[in-house]
Amino acid sequence: MAQDADEDHDRLGALVGALTRTAASAPPDGDPLEGATAAAAAVDRPGHGDPRACSGVTALFAADGTRLPAGSREITPVREDTLFDLASVTKVVTALTAATLIDDGVLDPHSPVAEHMRAPDPRITAHHLLTHTAGLPPVMPLWRLPGDRRARLEAVSSAPLVTAPGTAHAYSCIGFILLGALLEELTGTALPELARRRVLAPAGATSAGWEPCPERAARAAATEHQADPPRGLVRGTTHDETAWSLGGAGNAGVFATLEDALALGRVLAGRGPGPHLSPATRRLLTRDQLPAGVRTGAPWQQGCGLRIGQELETGAVLPRVVGHPGFTGTSVLADPGTGTVAVLLTNRVHPHRTRFTVERSRRELARLAFG
């Protein structure tokens, strides 16, 4: 077992080291490269420990893509307690929060959302939102709309449909924003606090959450230099522009350390300290929920909030692995059959979202952990 853990540690170190070395030597422009300035990874196997590796620095580039001067206070080493913006891995937190409410009888996944709040179509249910079959658009530029959070949520609640509910699968951040608003409406509690009580604290993800305190935000892995909206270097605040304009949104915005992300993975694997889900609700998360004739068009299937199946570099698919990737270069994966968990945290959108990618590294991590 010790030898297995040592081998995992060496492989993880090689994976994250390759990412950060590429980023550090990258020219300021050109085709996307497999890299990230900050990277951390871990594999947690029951009975084998959880080897981890960290590499790089939390910021490295100015807005024009050139290197920051040596000694800049923005440049800090990546450590296990470095916070990363999880981006759409946030959907795992939102889905788990919804799952606890299903078990408590607060949320009926098949009842119309319109029974509780304004909805774009009276046929849309929480199940549609969780499975990306509501027919809603993928994104909306809410940050450009005048008004406050309430006005922007009104725009979501009246969003035009792309397809009829239940007829097509199309990934939608707008759907998870609406889901988060529904959970708030049902409980009278803001989503960040609701998720903390029901998911993050029971799971042991004690430092995870939306919008970290200023002291911790200053040490978070930087993401993008943004011009629209004109935010400058985004660090310690939500990278996703739409979620940022709403505050605690259901599609993106959770920050987490490597241990926090592992804690979420253990919940997906069915071996976390909490929250405890019924077998029926766990099946909603980990089994394909799409009706016959409605497919993802991807090598994975769709559970309630989770992707089921992980593609490898060879094109093979690991069918039991569940989890979710994030736009910032993150992913949390778990195999409920073996209990194994794998996590990759990066800031591949620094300094700009088109500069780096981590797709091969995600697949390599899955091979190391599950293949």
Side-chain angles (χ1 to χ4, degrees):
M1 292 184 183
Q3 182 178 359
D4 291 342
D6 289 343
E7 289 177 355
D8 279 342
H9 182 270
D10 292 344
R11 291 165 179 166
L12 292 172
L15 187 150
V16 299
L19 283 172
T20 57
R21 283 194 301 273
T22 297
S25 60
D29 52 21
D31 294 333
L33 301 172
E34 185 80 5
T37 67
V43 173
D44 184 351
R45 307 180 197 275
H48 290 255
D50 59 344
R52 311 173 185 198
C54 301
S55 185
V57 291
T58 55
L60 192 61
F61 297 108
D64 62 359
T66 59
R67 292 279 294 266
L68 292 169
S72 294
R73 63 180 182 178
E74 292 91 344
I75 302 174
T76 57
V78 175
R79 309 184 311 185
E80 286 192 18
D81 64 351
T82 295
L83 284 175
F84 286 82
D85 184 331
L86 295 186
S88 280
V89 177
T90 298
K91 293 180 174 69
V92 173
V93 178
T94 305
L96 288 171
T97 304
T100 67
L101 293 174
I102 291 171
D103 268 350
D104 288 352
V106 177
L107 172 64
D108 180 345
H110 297 291
S111 292
V113 173
E115 291 183 358
H116 306 285
M117 59 181 290
R118 185 179 176 187
D121 186 284
R123 297 168 290 179
I124 292 176
T125 66
H127 191 272
H128 289 138
L129 301 175
L130 283 159
T131 58
H132 300 283
T133 57
L136 291 167
V139 294
M140 295 171 65
L142 298 180
W143 67 93
R144 296 175 185 164
L145 298 182
D148 56 8
R149 184 177 193 266
R150 181 181 297 274
R152 290 170 179 144
L153 286 176
E154 280 294 315
V156 170
S157 297
S158 58
L161 295 191
V162 179
T163 58
T167 64
H169 176 273
Y171 186 77
S172 175
C173 286
I174 299 305
F176 263 74
I177 289 172
L178 185 61
L179 176 65
L182 172 64
L183 303 186
E184 292 181 334
E185 183 68 24
L186 289 171
T187 62
T189 304
L191 181 61
E193 177 60 18
L194 185 67
R196 186 191 67 79
R197 293 179 191 172
R198 287 184 162 265
V199 175
L200 298 175
T206 54
S207 57
W210 283 260
E211 298 298 326
C213 69
E215 181 182 356
R216 300 205 70 202
R219 300 196 304 271
T223 54
E224 194 169 23
H225 292 273
Q226 287 189 353
D228 180 21
R231 302 168 65 194
L233 178 62
V234 179
R235 182 172 192 165
T237 188
T238 304
H239 170 261
D240 181 273
E241 304 93 331
T242 304
W244 167 76
S245 74
L246 291 167
N251 69 310
V254 168
F255 283 78
T257 65
L258 197 55
E259 176 56 36
D260 295 328
L262 284 169
L264 289 174
R266 293 183 193 113
V267 176
L268 301 186
R271 62 185 186 91
H276 299 292
L277 302 176
S278 69
T281 297
R282 186 166 286 279
R283 284 193 293 272
L284 290 176
L285 296 170
T286 60
R287 294 188 184 177
D288 187 26
Q289 297 294 305
L290 298 184
V294 177
R295 301 266 55 90
T296 65
W300 41 266
Q301 297 176 322
Q302 180 69 63
C304 280
L306 303 182
R307 295 183 180 182
I308 305 167
Q310 171 61 44
E311 188 177 15
L312 301 178
E313 194 66 23
T314 61
V317 176
L318 301 171
R320 299 186 310 274
V321 175
V322 300
H324 212 287
F327 187 76
T328 51
T330 57
S331 60
V332 173
L333 301 171
D335 183 343
T338 65
T340 299
V341 173
V343 167
L344 178 65
L345 303 179
T346 82
N347 66 340
R348 70 101 197 157
V349 295
H350 178 70
H352 298 292
R353 64 188 67 188
T354 59
R355 190 68 196 93
F356 298 109
T357 180
V358 294
E359 288 307 308
R360 290 200 305 274
S361 299
R362 280 180 171 138
R363 294 171 181 173
E364 175 62 10
L365 176 65
R367 185 189 71 78
L368 294 176
F370 310 106

